[in-house]
Amino acid sequence: MIRKVLIANRGEIAIRISYTLREMGIEAAAVFTAADEGGLHAHLAREAHLVTSYLDVDEMIRTAKDAAADAIHPGYGFLSENAALSAACAEAGIVFIGPAPETIRRMGDKLESKRVMQEAGVPVVAIWEGEPPDSEYPVLVKAAGGGGGKGMRLVERPADLAGAMASASREAAAAFGDSRVFVEKYIRHPRHIEFQILGDSHGNYLHVFERECSIQRRHQKIIEETPSTAVTAELRAEMGAAALAAARAVKYRGAGTVEFILDPAGRFYFLEMNTRLQVEHPVTEMTTGLDLVREQVRIASGEKLPYRQDDLGQTGHSIECRIYAEIPEENFRPSIGKIEIYEPPSGPGIRLDSGVTRGSLVSYHFDPLLAKMIVWAPSRESAIDRMKRALNDFVLLGVGTNIEFLRRIIATDDFTLGKLDTAFLDRHPELFTAPSEVPLEAILAASIPLPLGDGSRGAKTRQGEASSEGEVSGTAFPDAWTSGPWRNS
């Protein structure tokens, strides 16, 4: 039985995981670095430990032992898809809330994962480890050992392939410590559709439907939703079966995601498997009622999945927008500074997963994701209306954000009609036109004095300092941060 978990992450995902652990009666310990000692996740934790890096496997194991934690939850990013951490946990007698090391290794290697999927009968895009036939162009050069757009190049002509492979190889080596690249057939204007999967250690597997993740910048998602407007009941059954075949092929344990690309003709192909919780998992939770972190903990504890596939269903529609500290109009330049005004929206059907508040410092040390705005409504049309209202009500001043940019995307006719693909932003250059004036909401918010503290207190290693619920070192935090992940939903 898991009694205490070290959350080996930061920001909104660390806070979100801690909510579920507390609801399950499980103690949670946070970690923070010197560059992150003012982080909200450390402030809200009842126990927080200073570490030198979020990427040091040995240090995380030592910290878990020091905290007397019997499990580690890696969240997403950082060590979440690091087979070495999963293996080190097993060696140390600590439960890793995630897949087995071999699963992470096999699915983390893009070439190996595609071979495994081919053998399992899952459709895969044609790939080459050398030069493809001239007739197959355009092609993508991709890194074998990583993702997120690093080491990726689009090649339109055979004459450009060698240079693209050399450039991609250098970038992949710097980003992942692995210079291997391969060539993949490029499919124009695809949708990015992923399926949430669950697998236990007793051989049971489920999929929890699809998420549409086609709105992307720099090959990274910024808006996700479920259900997808492109997925019919028949296609959902077919893609779901492929996702389950992928899970069985690697004896998947835990919560994971099988990602597909869907071409304009309705054909789908395996893209990759993410062996962790996804940033966009809340939209699945909002439409199914499942708590995916709770399911992860149950599976890691050795429990069987309590559902059959036919027990699962979706109600309504959910959309997530990622709130970044970046300037879309300036090639998504990151923005740093102190958040001076922070007034997030509230109301029926709105959930906010946030890692910041007023006074939080946004630095260049970490990913610029500040928060995730998630809405639920009975229909897609009403979910779009709710998201428009939520984004319009969201006031965040002190650093530049993409909130206005997201508003413009949601307001387009193509988004309303569900005409989505991974080239959406390329087709809409008008979205990158900066607003001509400061929104009225921002002016009004700046004129209202708020009673909150400046959030600048430093967090040191502390155990047992929390004096009451939602309180650290005698300073109360807003109810929004202590009421669970489904705020006002």
Side-chain angles (χ1 to χ4, degrees), residues 69-355:
D70 42 26
I72 289 178
H73 195 306
Y76 58 71
F78 292 137
L79 296 173
S80 62
E81 293 182 284
N82 189 311
L85 177 60
S86 179
C89 283
E91 185 176 344
I94 297 170
V95 176
F96 180 71
I97 302 179
E102 183 59 21
T103 301
I104 298 174
R105 272 193 289 265
R106 297 182 77 188
M107 294 298 98
D109 187 308
K110 298 297 187 291
L111 283 170
E112 173 67 10
S113 67
K114 291 178 187 295
R115 294 190 188 105
V116 171
M117 293 305 120
Q118 284 178 318
E119 292 174 2
V122 178
V124 176
V125 177
I127 61 172
W128 302 269
E129 293 185 55
E131 187 168 341
D134 289 356
S135 61
E136 295 293 341
Y137 283 82
V139 297
L140 276 177
V141 177
K142 301 179 78 172
K150 299 288 187 181
M152 184 182 295
R153 302 287 187 276
L154 174 62
V155 182
E156 299 277 0
R157 304 178 305 156
D160 298 330
L161 182 64
M165 292 186 73
S167 173
S169 180
R170 288 192 297 270
E171 184 175 351
F176 314 116
D178 184 346
S179 63
R180 293 176 303 141
V181 295
F182 64 95
V183 181
E184 180 178 276
K185 174 66 178 175
Y186 179 64
I187 296 178
R188 293 190 185 276
H189 306 300
R191 288 179 180 250
H192 185 130
I193 308 291
E194 64 186 27
F195 270 70
Q196 178 70 56
I197 57 169
L198 296 171
D200 63 25
S201 55
H202 304 277
N204 301 305
Y205 303 97
L206 299 169
H207 76 76
V208 195
F209 311 107
E210 83 279 1
R211 295 186 286 256
E212 169 89 53
C213 307
S214 297
I215 307 294
Q216 302 179 4
R217 60 99 168 99
R218 296 177 175 173
H219 306 290
Q220 293 182 324
K221 309 158 191 171
I222 54 174
I223 299 177
E224 303 95 352
E225 63 180 303
T226 188
S228 167
T229 59
V231 178
T232 63
E234 293 77 15
L235 182 58
R236 182 172 295 113
E238 190 177 353
M239 295 181 77
L244 292 178
R248 292 189 187 97
V250 293
K251 298 181 180 178
Y252 197 85
R253 183 192 70 210
T257 306
V258 182
E259 302 201 351
F260 298 100
I261 53 175
L262 180 67
D263 74 14
R267 297 182 295 263
F268 67 91
Y269 306 92
F270 172 82
L271 181 62
E272 63 183 5
M273 179 185 283
N274 289 307
T275 54
R276 55 170 167 80
L277 195 66
Q278 290 280 73
V279 177
E280 58 273 16
H281 75 276
V283 295
T284 297
E285 294 180 329
M286 297 290 272
T287 55
T288 64
L290 294 181
D291 180 335
L292 293 176
V293 173
R294 184 181 293 263
E295 298 305 323
Q296 286 185 296
V297 174
R298 285 173 171 170
I299 292 166
S301 299
E303 296 182 27
K304 290 184 178 180
L305 287 169
Y307 325 98
R308 296 174 300 178
Q309 189 66 57
D310 291 344
D311 295 329
L312 300 178
Q314 286 184 293
T315 302
H317 198 95
S318 184
I319 303 172
E320 173 181 297
C321 285
R322 301 189 189 188
I323 310 300
Y324 282 103
E326 64 184 17
I327 314 298
E329 298 81 11
E330 299 178 20
N331 197 28
F332 300 100
R333 175 178 60 83
S335 179
I336 62 174
K338 181 180 177 180
I339 296 176
E340 302 290 353
I341 300 291
Y342 189 76
E343 283 293 299
S346 60
I350 291 179
R351 167 178 169 179
L352 181 71
D353 285 16
S354 179

